[in-house]
Amino acid sequence: EFEKMYEKIDLTLLNRLLRLIVDHNIADYMTSKNNIVIAYKDMSHTNGYGLIRGLQFSSFIVQYYGLILDLLLLGLTRASEIAGPPQMPNEFLTFRDVKTETRHPIRCYTRYINRVYILLRFTADEAKDLIQRYLTEHPDPNNENIVGYNNRKCWPRDARMRLMKHDVNLGRAVFWDLKNRLPRSMTTFEWDNSFVSVYSKDNPNLLFNMNGFEVRILPKCRMTAEGFANKDGVWALQNIHTKERTAQAFLRVDDEALKAFENRIRQVLMSSGSTTFTKVANKWNTALIGLMTYYREAVVHTQELLDLLVKCENKIQTRIKIGLNSKMPSRFPPVVFYSPKEVGGLGMLSMGHILIPQSDLRYSQQTDLGVTHFRAGMSHEEEQLIPNLYRYIQPWESEFIDSERVWSEYALKKEEAKAQNRRLNLDD
């Protein structure tokens, strides 16, 4: 993650950079708009350094400045190889030919605002050379590099990165090398907010987290006896040409996303001073639908999230009960909350009336055992089944498959139209 990317934008440098692509009057306007006095009541602050986020063109400046940082990390030659020639730019994450792709260790590069994801592939010699360069500057006689090496703690132990000496040194060396490419005055990487996952002979898993998903990729050739896990929350990755399934990606929801959801519900509860019950229920529905439609099958695999959903749904109901000055269960049968508004209920959606899958606590920390038993989430006295929201949402994997099918049908129709020398019309 680029630390303090916005706060460290230097306006003089930015002006020079903007003059390369826009008229100098516009460039001056864009930078001077950030170089102002901000006043609030009796306080004032002169902003002489860093970007003010709320301006109309701030997003453009961040995109442009991000490009400069990308170029610093990649170097000009590799950057232009990844982007392709201006007359014929490459598709995202593809190269013109294999020779260009394998010429340099950086194979994939993508940045989401200020989070950078880089895939590097080293030959044994390149790795050895890089580690040696790193250890010359930071000698490590007592193998202390392993201490404090970040890991993805949400996976069971055998699915995390195994901290072997070579892999840890390589991870530290790559981080050190990339950090050195960025001048401290513009931005920097912090070790605590970064993670380098090494895939090697000792480490079969590739781990990363992106936009709220924790991902663990395990190639087919490295799977032990059990073969492909056939369950929700695991995507099969296939080779696009041979259609062979080469790896699996295991999904979970990461801790930041859990925190964000919990805080959203706390905010709903805090701000629901004297609001109506329907409004509270509606806010819960919005938050729940937002969470479930984004994470889908990853939710089912994240036991902490299932527990959190039960807890939050309980809190929302308690909030409504307290508004009526009572918490006696017999006064609040589930029909009050879950019936649709048309028949006089609150129309709440539920994700708490589920069986939460549990693994044997002693071993589930070490390895992925699968489910040994279930425990109930929310319960109520009446024995009706309250359907949970997940049943009505298609998992992402089947969306991908559908989309692929639809596009291939479209391609066939297009070919057909081309052969008959006509345009595609709406009926097609």
Side-chain angles (χ1 to χ4, degrees):
E1 184 178 351
F2 287 140
E3 299 291 328
K4 298 203 165 90
M5 175 172 153
Y6 311 96
E7 289 88 346
K8 283 191 171 179
I9 293 183
D10 180 48
L11 299 176
T12 331
L13 173 67
L14 182 65
N15 188 290
R16 286 271 176 271
L17 291 171
L18 282 170
R19 281 175 177 227
L20 299 173
I21 54 165
V22 296
D23 182 79
H24 70 95
N25 295 312
I26 300 176
D28 289 345
Y29 173 72
M30 286 162 96
T31 45
S32 59
K33 198 80 171 141
N34 285 290
N35 187 11
I36 48 169
V37 177
I38 302 167
Y40 174 71
K41 295 191 177 162
D42 59 343
M43 299 173 282
S44 69
H45 159 73
T46 314
N47 186 67
Y49 188 65
L51 195 71
I52 296 172
R53 288 178 175 76
L55 295 168
Q56 192 73 57
F57 41 77
S58 290
S59 70
F60 169 75
I61 290 183
V62 169
Q63 287 170 50
Y64 181 50
Y65 199 75
L67 171 69
I68 308 294
L69 297 177
D70 294 341
L71 294 179
L72 282 172
L73 270 183
L74 291 168
L76 297 177
T77 27
R78 193 51 176 174
S80 56
E81 282 171 3
I82 288 177
Q87 302 80 26
M88 212 179 85
N90 292 338
E91 289 283 317
F92 182 55
L93 296 187
T94 55
F95 286 87
R96 205 166 62 247
D97 47 40
V98 179
K99 189 168 159 246
T100 325
E101 184 178 355
T102 50
R103 191 179 294 161
H104 189 280
I106 296 182
R107 299 296 164 87
C108 291
Y109 179 93
T110 178
R111 178 173 53 82
Y112 180 80
I113 309 177
N114 60 350
R115 286 181 168 257
V116 181
Y117 301 89
I118 310 178
L119 179 72
L120 302 103
R121 183 171 178 181
F122 295 104
T123 60
D125 295 341
E126 286 170 337
K128 194 171 138 200
D129 182 46
L130 182 61
I131 292 172
Q132 274 179 347
R133 274 181 25 223
Y134 170 68
L135 289 177
T136 328
E137 294 224 0
H138 305 270
D140 179 33
N142 309 327
N143 291 341
E144 281 166 9
N145 273 345
I146 295 176
V147 181
Y149 193 92
N150 292 341
N151 214 331
R152 290 265 164 264
K153 295 272 175 28
C154 63
W155 298 105
R157 286 217 181 91
D158 67 342
R160 296 175 198 168
M161 180 171 152
R162 296 164 197 169
L163 301 179
M164 303 298 188
K165 184 179 171 185
H166 173 270
D167 293 357
V168 166
N169 282 343
L170 181 61
R172 294 255 186 194
V174 166
F175 179 80
W176 165 80
D177 185 40
L178 289 171
K179 186 174 175 172
N180 281 350
R181 297 178 189 188
L182 296 168
R184 287 295 303 258
S185 60
M186 288 177 83
T187 181
T188 179
F189 289 141
E190 285 293 332
W191 176 254
D192 293 335
N193 300 339
S194 313
F195 174 59
V196 188
S197 168
V198 180
Y199 172 84
S200 67
K201 63 178 198 297
D202 303 313
N203 270 308
N205 293 295
L206 188 67
L207 308 163
F208 64 95
N209 72 326
M210 187 181 256
N211 294 1
F213 285 93
E214 283 282 356
V215 187
R216 164 166 85 92
I217 297 179
L218 179 63
K220 182 177 159 190
C221 54
R222 302 294 294 268
M223 288 176 192
T224 42
E226 75 269 7
F228 277 101
N230 200 357
K231 53 184 180 180
D232 269 357
V234 183
W235 290 348
L237 308 177
Q238 58 178 182
N239 182 332
I240 201 163
H241 302 300
T242 59
K243 296 290 179 227
E244 180 201 1
R245 290 200 296 174
T246 50
Q248 280 190 315
F250 295 80
L251 302 179
R252 283 176 57 99
V253 180
D254 77 4
D255 297 341
E256 274 178 41
L258 292 186
K259 270 273 170 290
F261 178 72
E262 187 177 17
N263 288 337
R264 171 71 193 123
I265 300 302
R266 285 172 58 194
Q267 189 187 0
V268 168
L269 294 168
M270 293 281 283
S271 62
S272 64
S274 52
T275 28
T276 55
F277 300 149
T278 32
K279 272 191 182 166
V280 177
N282 279 345
K283 283 180 178 170
W284 159 257
N285 288 352
T286 313
L288 183 66
I289 290 173
L291 178 88
M292 293 303 298
T293 47
Y294 182 72
Y295 292 108
R296 303 200 185 183
E297 65 261 60
V299 172
V300 194
H301 260 263
T302 315
Q303 193 204 315
E304 296 81 7
L305 181 54
L306 295 176
D307 284 335
L308 181 68
L309 283 162
V310 172
K311 191 173 101 183
C312 291
E313 193 168 334
N314 253 324
K315 280 183 175 171
I316 295 280
Q317 291 193 1
T318 309
R319 167 77 196 78
I320 292 168
K321 291 173 184 176
I322 286 171
L324 289 167
N325 230 340
S326 152
K327 277 163 69 173
M328 198 162 125
S330 57
R331 288 184 184 162
F332 295 100
V335 65
V336 173
F337 298 110
Y338 300 114
S339 296
K341 294 201 182 78
E342 296 81 57
V343 295
L346 283 172
M348 258 180 86
L349 297 171
S350 168
M351 201 43 217
H353 290 85
I354 40 176
L355 291 172
I356 297 176
Q358 289 274 269
S359 298
D360 186 304
L361 282 178
R362 194 199 215 149
Y363 300 110
S364 63
Q365 301 296 321
Q366 322 294 358
T367 181
D368 183 13
L369 277 180
V371 179
T372 53
H373 59 286
F374 292 90
R375 66 190 158 83
M378 289 173 76
S379 54
H380 51 85
E381 289 167 6
E382 302 177 27
E383 289 300 314
Q384 304 123 316
L385 177 74
I386 289 164
N388 65 350
L389 183 59
Y390 182 67
R391 286 172 46 180
Y392 302 96
I393 295 175
Q394 245 195 327
W396 279 125
E397 182 149 41
S398 61
E399 295 265 14
F400 297 153
I401 293 165
D402 279 357
S403 140
E404 205 171 325
R405 181 180 53 78
V406 169
W407 279 108
S408 59
E409 277 177 23
Y410 173 72
L412 283 174
K413 285 257 193 283
K414 203 170 175 184
E415 282 297 309
E416 209 175 285
K418 201 172 167 189
Q420 295 169 1
N421 209 352
R422 62 185 177 84
R423 281 217 181 119
L424 273 181
N425 57 12
L426 228 81
D427 305 339
D428 293 337

